[in-house]
Amino acid sequence: MSRKLSSLTLVAVCSVLIGGSARCAFGAACTTQAQMAAAARDALANSAHSIVADMQSGNVQAVQQNTMPSLAANFGAIANSIQQLRPTIQNASIVVYDIYQLDASDNPPAPTATDFYCGSPVVSVHFGQLPRGMYALAILHATGVKDPQQISLVLSQTNGRWLLGGFFDKPMMTAGHDGIWYWKNARGYVQAKDAWSAWIYYQMATNLLTPLNFISSPNLQKLHEEADQIHPSTFPDQHPMVLTVQGINYTVNAVSTTTAFGALDLDVSYAPDASEAAQLSNPPMARQQVTAIMSALVELHPGLKQAFHGIWVHAQQGPASLFALELPMQEIAAARPPQAAERSGTGR
C-alpha cells in the first residue's frame, strides 16, 4: 500500500544501528520490562519519556544532547523530523507502553545482523547491522489528541546513559478507528466474500498494529497469514490491473486509501494512454472517464460502498497528475457501466 495508507513513517534512521535486512543473524539476549529489575526499568522508562517530552516541547537542543555522538554531529534531519512531529503530539499525554533491553555485548567486533527474541509469546526484533553494545527499544504512546501516535525509540547505552540512536513514529488510528477495529472488520469482509475490502482492511490493520518494520510477534504473524489467504489476484499491488469499461481498457497502477477529506476514501491511480490523456484536457470528458472507473470498481466489488466513504481517482502520467476527482459513494452513478471486467497484467 502507498504511504497514504498510513504506512510506517521513518523519522530518523541511525545508519550505525539500523541497516539492511538479512536472512541470517546473530542471536543476542533480550530482557522484557517484566523481567527487568525495577531500577533498570525505571531508568530506561525515564530516559525514553524525557526524550519524547523534549520532542513534544520542541526542545531540539536537549534531544541532540541526549543523542549518540555519531548522530548528534549530523542532527539536521532529525531536528526537522522533530519539528514536523511536534504539532501532532504537543498536547498529548505520553505513556511508556513497552520496553525491551537488548544485550548485544557478545556480538562480533564488526557490526552484524542481530536478532533478539523477547519474552513469551516471543516478540522478535531484527537489526540488519548492529555493533557490539547494550541497546534498548522503547515504544511510547502519545494519546488524548486528534491523531494519537506511536513513537518508538532505539536507545544505546553510552557511559551509563541511554542515548537516542533512532526514532520512528506512526499513527495509532485512521479515520477514527484503531488496528483492532480494522482487523475485526477485515474478517467480516472475508465472511462476506469481499476480498478487496478485506485485503485493504488487513493492510490498514497491519500498518496500525506494527510499531516498527523490524519487529514481529505471533499476533502480527497471524494477521499476515490471514491477509495472505485472501489476497485478490487482480489487486494492483504487485502488477497493474487492467480495468475494462465499455470496451475501453484502463491501466490501474495502485489502489490505496486516503483521509484527505477526513473520512476514509479509496485512492485509485491509473495511467491513461495517449487517447485517454487527450480527453483529460476537456473537463466533462475527464469527469466521464474517471467516474467510469469509479463505477466499474463499485460494480465489480460492491462491498467497497460499505467499506469506504468515497473514491478518489487520479490520472497519472509519470509523476504528473493530469486529472483527479473525489466522489462520495452515494454520488457515484447508480447505473454502472456494463461489461466491466478486471484482470491482472504488467501493462498494455
Side-chain angles (χ1 to χ4, degrees), residues 132-218:
R132 179 184 289 173
M134 184 71 74
Y135 303 95
L137 173 63
I139 300 172
L140 300 92
H141 288 177
T143 60
V145 289
K146 178 183 176 182
D147 298 309
Q149 301 287 308
Q150 300 180 76
I151 303 170
S152 300
L153 307 181
V154 178
L155 303 172
S156 172
Q157 193 174 60
T158 305
N159 298 324
R161 297 174 59 207
W162 287 108
L163 300 181
L164 181 67
F167 83 93
F168 308 77
D169 80 294
K170 64 184 304 186
M172 295 176 63
M173 303 180 74
T174 296
H177 299 293
D178 62 13
I180 297 297
W181 185 91
Y182 284 104
W183 190 349
K184 178 181 178 181
N185 280 272
R187 288 173 169 173
Y189 288 121
V190 171
Q191 294 176 354
K193 301 188 183 306
D194 179 4
W196 264 55
S197 297
W199 172 253
I200 297 171
Y201 269 45
Y202 271 125
Q203 302 315 298
M204 299 182 71
T206 299
N207 276 282
L208 291 169
L209 293 173
T210 307
L212 295 157
N213 61 358
F214 51 89
I215 192 169
S216 184
S217 70

Side-chain angles (χ1 to χ4, degrees), residues 279-335:
Q279 294 177 356
L280 295 174
S281 61
N282 182 308
M285 295 181 70
R287 183 182 178 90
Q288 182 179 8
Q289 187 176 126
V290 298
T291 54
I293 293 173
M294 295 177 186
S295 298
L297 285 172
V298 172
E299 177 195 10
L300 292 163
H301 307 288
L304 297 175
K305 289 199 300 182
Q306 176 184 345
F308 301 97
H309 161 266
I311 301 179
W312 260 105
V313 174
H314 305 264
Q316 294 288 137
Q317 194 171 69
S321 176
L322 302 183
F323 188 83
L325 180 69
E326 188 270 352
L327 287 179
M329 287 296 181
Q330 63 267 26
E331 293 184 23
I332 295 174

